[in-house]
Every structure is written in C-alpha cells, then in structure tokens.
Amino acid sequence: YLNPRMSDKKMNGISKINGTEGKAPFLIGVSGGTASGKSTVCKRIMEKLGQVDMDQAQRQVICISQDSFYRELTPTEISKAEKGQFNFDHPDAFNETLLLETLQDILAGKIVQIPTYDYRHHSLNKDEFLTIYPADVVLFEGILVFYFPEIRKLFHMKLFVDTDSDTRLARRVPRDINERGRDLEQVLNQYMNFVKPAFEEFCFPTKKFADVIIPRGADNTVAIDLIVQHIREILLNKGRKSEERTLVLPSPAFVRTP
Ligand code: CTP
C-alpha cells in the first residue's frame, strides 16, 4: 500500500499521482456572504478535529478558498479595482473552468497546486502556490461556491453561513481598511455598488441549495459541533475502508464465514 503523500514527496511535490483510487475526499462546500465567517467556521472545524498544528501534507482535513480562483484582471480592470469600481462579487470575476477542473482533480485524488490571492494588488501571487495533498475531507469556502451548477453538484455536503448583513458590513469595513489596504470611502462605495447587490442576486439565492444553514457563523458552536461529529464519522469510515484495502487476506481455507 503506497501512501499517496509519501509517493508525492518522492516525486518532488508537483506531479499528479496515480493509483490513489479510494482516496477521493469528502468535499464540503462552505458558502455565505462576505465576512459572514466562512473561514472562521472552517478554522473551528479543523481545530476541533486536531488538524491545525500539523504538517500540511499530513492533514486529513484541508481548507481551500474560492479567492484562489479569481481570474487575472486586465490593466484597465486593475485601475478600476483600485478605485473600488470593479465587481469582485459577480460570477464573471472567477475562473470557473480552473475551479471546476481543480475540484475534479482533487476528487480524483490528485495532488494539485493552487495560487494564493493578493487583495492589495487584486492579483494572484504567481510565485506563491499552495500544494494540496490528497486528504479525506476537503472544505471549499467562498461567496459563490454554490453558484455554478457543475461545481455545485460536486459537493457531498453544502453549508451556508448565515450572518446578518449589518454584522457582515461591520466586520468587512475594518478588515478591508486594515488588512486589504483600502480607504473608507472606497470600501463603502464598493459595498453599496457591487457587494450588496451581487450578494442579493448571486449569493443569497444559493442558500436554498445548502444542506445545513449555520446562523450566526462561527459563534454557533452547537452547529459546528454537530458538523464536526459528522466529519469524525466520515474519517472513521474512511480509515476502516483503507484498513480493509491493505488487509492481506488469508487463504480461503482459513476464512470463517460469520
Ligand atoms: N474582494 C475585494 N477585492 C479583491 C478581491 C475580492 O474586495 N481584489 C472582495 C469581494 O468584494 C468579495 C470578498 O472579497 O465580497 C470575498 O471574500 P470574503 O468572502 O469576504 O472573505 P472570506 O475571508 O473568505 O470570508 P469570511 O469573512 O466569511 O470568512
């Protein structure tokens, strides 16, 4: 039995791996409006499963953000973005094809590399990739992860983080100013012109596709505990299955029927 993570290390971390059937992860989509607490919900889930203080390659549960799949902007679009006049909340802002192909590769148990996103420059970090190793559970979070039908149907479980819009705005303003290098006027203009209308048109309607709706986001420890419990059962079953695969069966004469 070849541990896929080991085989990847031997292959220098970039190549896709073969022979990983059965390693298809349980794919969980986590959506919700901007600053609803999607990343914090994912972080809590990973903490409760003891996955945080662990080497990336050894994790059984990993988290990916849809922001890694923003498409590259043209110079004109970048100058619009710098004035808060580009719509980052519209489905067209994303590279849907790359998103779909990457999730399909992940579901096929392949090692993939995804870019990281730079909010200050509105661009993908070309030299900073995250290597995603095969895991048992993959959390995929973003404002529009349930919007594209072909992508939506890939999820085994869909969560929607449902936080009041005033709470979300109150979180988003200081975050954009302190962490994303924006000024107040730009943040509020972008919010009123693009973020809020796009949430109502594209994100909120996808709530109906969710299996579980989490009111109040990461504060909702009861909901998070229930989800964690469910993931634990999945991990346990996956563990059992892989033990079955590696079991060397005795010759038929020794097999006892129950
Ligand atoms: N965005 C932006 N500038 C960019 C790219 C994206 O302002 N160059 C904004 C979009 O307007 C979008 C938001 O980033 O509304 C998406 O990120 P968000 O969902 O708010 O961040 P997360 O940390 O993933 O979400 P949460 O706070 O729910 O954890």
Side-chain angles (χ1 to χ4, degrees), residues 32-41 65-67 70 73 81 86-89 94 117-123 141-143 161 168 171-172 175-176 180 182 190 194-195:
T34 179
S36 54
K38 300 177 292 295
S39 348
T40 318
V41 165
S65 167
Q66 189 182 21
D67 298 346
Y70 269 117
L73 301 187
F86 184 83
N87 194 348
F88 286 102
D89 296 72
F94 293 93
Y117 193 72
D118 177 350
Y119 295 96
R120 287 179 186 263
H121 300 100
H122 313 285
S123 62
E141 69 90 10
I143 49 173
V161 182
R168 294 191 293 101
R171 283 183 192 156
R172 171 141 175 165
R175 182 188 72 184
D176 279 8
R180 298 187 178 179
R182 319 275 165 93
Q190 187 189 351
F194 301 116
V195 182

Side-chain angles (χ1 to χ4, degrees), residues 66-81:
Q66 189 182 21
D67 298 346
S68 294
F69 298 90
Y70 269 117
R71 64 171 175 79
E72 287 293 359
L73 301 187
T74 62
T76 323
E77 287 171 328
I78 292 197
S79 60
K80 277 189 173 179

Side-chain angles (χ1 to χ4, degrees), residues 182-210:
R182 319 275 165 93
D183 65 47
L184 181 63
E185 200 188 338
Q186 181 188 357
V187 175
L188 292 178
N189 278 339
Q190 187 189 351
Y191 191 86
M192 292 313 290
N193 294 331
F194 301 116
V195 182
K196 183 179 158 71
F199 170 75
E200 283 160 10
E201 187 174 352
F202 306 113
C203 176
F204 188 72
T206 67
K207 180 175 158 182
K208 64 174 175 286
F209 299 118

Side-chain angles (χ1 to χ4, degrees), residues 154-166:
L154 298 179
F155 295 110
H156 300 111
M157 186 189 200
K158 298 193 257 328
L159 311 177
F160 191 94
V161 182
D162 198 12
T163 305
D164 291 343
S165 50
D166 51 357

